[in-house]
Amino acid sequence: DTEVTQTPKHLVMGMTNKKSLKCEQHMGHRAMYWYKQKAKKPPELMFVYSYEKLSINESVPSRFSPECPNSSLLNLHLHALQPEDSALYLCASSQERWGNYGYTFGSGTRLTVV
Amino acid sequence: DQQVKQNSPSLSVQEGRISILNCDYTNSMFDYFLWYKKYPAEGPTFLISISSIKDKNEDGRFTVFLNKSAKHLSLHIVPSQPGDSAVYFCAASANNYGGSQGNLIFGKGTKLSVKP
């Protein structure tokens, strides 16, 4: 299995809703990442988990809450989002956080906040 | 301050010809460079990479060239095919760059269109 699986593929949520994005990989990768990508922009790093511990939070608002329950799973909990949070949310993993390892990306979750 | 720059937002090439996508970087601590390809509604897919100890890496139709003195890299696709039409992101990482070590920094992307 050489994939990163993200669910759901599409999500529409209201500003008062609570939802979660899920990411799963079974490649034994020990680093996992959340990126946010707006249209015509590069992916922007949100969070980095290394060995299931949060090691980077790129000043992301608290309405985004990451969770890494185990080495294969990464969640992103969403609460009280704003319309400007609508974007493609990408999960990625790499063998380790340091070193010359490429990332494997999931297909993303297309989030629309209404 | 953009550390990885792709100054051409788009490129149009005829099928069978060479596509050359360019990328410049400003951070001399970057030591690993990657190219990703992205189709609409999909996540980026790894294409090819190069370490700073090399100046060229080739994989089939794809070749990446690195010019460290100019802080410039390029991706050559020969011959170009219509299926290569996608957005290409250049990315860089540094193993010893403070708290951001190992994280990928992406350029803004270049949209390649290969016309039959």
Side-chain angles (χ1 to χ4, degrees):
Chain A
D1 188 350
T2 57
E3 288 186 347
V4 173
T5 304
Q6 287 188 245
T7 55
K9 292 198 183 304
H10 301 274
L11 178 63
V12 179
M13 62 184 290
M15 289 189 282
T16 58
N17 290 158
K18 282 186 181 181
K19 296 285 184 183
S20 297
L21 309 184
K22 296 186 185 304
C23 174
E24 191 168 0
Q25 57 88 13
H26 296 286
M27 295 177 280
H29 288 179
R30 301 318 300 263
M32 296 185 77
Y33 312 81
W34 280 114
Y35 277 82
K36 173 182 177 179
Q37 186 175 20
K38 302 278 274 184
K40 297 187 185 343
K41 299 279 188 185
E44 294 179 349
L45 184 65
M46 299 175 72
F47 301 104
V48 179
Y49 272 82
S50 180
Y51 286 85
E52 298 150 58
K53 293 195 186 318
L54 181 66
S55 56
I56 292 271
N57 174 343
E58 291 284 348
S59 303
V60 179
S62 59
R63 56 187 185 268
F64 295 92
S65 174
E67 178 199 17
C68 190
N70 60 55
S71 60
S72 300
L73 292 173
L74 186 65
N75 298 323
L76 186 62
H77 302 298
L78 314 172
H79 175 53
L81 294 195
Q82 304 296 310
E84 60 264 28
D85 296 322
S86 298
L88 180 68
Y89 287 83
L90 293 162
C91 174
S93 70
S94 64
Q95 192 170 333
E96 297 278 352
R97 187 182 153 201
W98 291 273
N100 292 339
Y101 302 108
Y103 291 9
T104 301
F105 280 88
S107 295
T109 294
R110 175 71 60 187
L111 174 67
T112 304
V113 181
V114 296
Chain B
D1 180 29
Q2 221 182 325
Q3 299 184 61
V4 178
K5 301 178 185 178
Q6 292 177 258
N7 292 320
S8 298
S10 61
L11 174 67
S12 184
V13 170
Q14 206 66 34
E15 180 179 7
R17 303 283 198 141
I18 183 171
S19 296
I20 301 177
L21 298 102
N22 293 305
C23 179
D24 298 291
Y25 61 96
T26 57
N27 188 345
S28 57
M29 300 298 288
F30 287 144
D31 56 7
Y32 191 56
F33 304 90
L34 309 93
W35 285 94
Y36 281 84
K37 175 179 176 180
K38 187 179 184 304
Y39 294 114
E42 292 185 13
T45 303
F46 171 73
L47 201 56
I48 193 169
S49 64
I50 188 167
S51 166
S52 59
I53 62 173
K54 295 186 173 184
D55 54 20
K56 177 182 175 181
N57 188 23
E58 192 172 351
D59 183 1
R61 296 187 296 113
F62 303 92
T63 303
V64 56
F65 295 93
L66 175 62
N67 182 334
K68 287 187 293 292
S69 60
K71 292 192 177 71
H72 176 84
L73 62 154
S74 60
L75 174 68
H76 293 211
I77 306 174
V78 183
S80 302
Q81 299 173 355
D84 296 329
S85 298
V87 177
Y88 288 78
F89 287 100
C90 170
S93 72
N95 279 320
N96 295 291
Y97 177 49
S100 296
Q101 57 191 127
N103 297 334
L104 279 187
I105 310 295
F106 285 88
K108 289 189 174 182
T110 296
K111 184 175 181 180
L112 173 66
S113 299
V114 180
K115 301 190 184 308

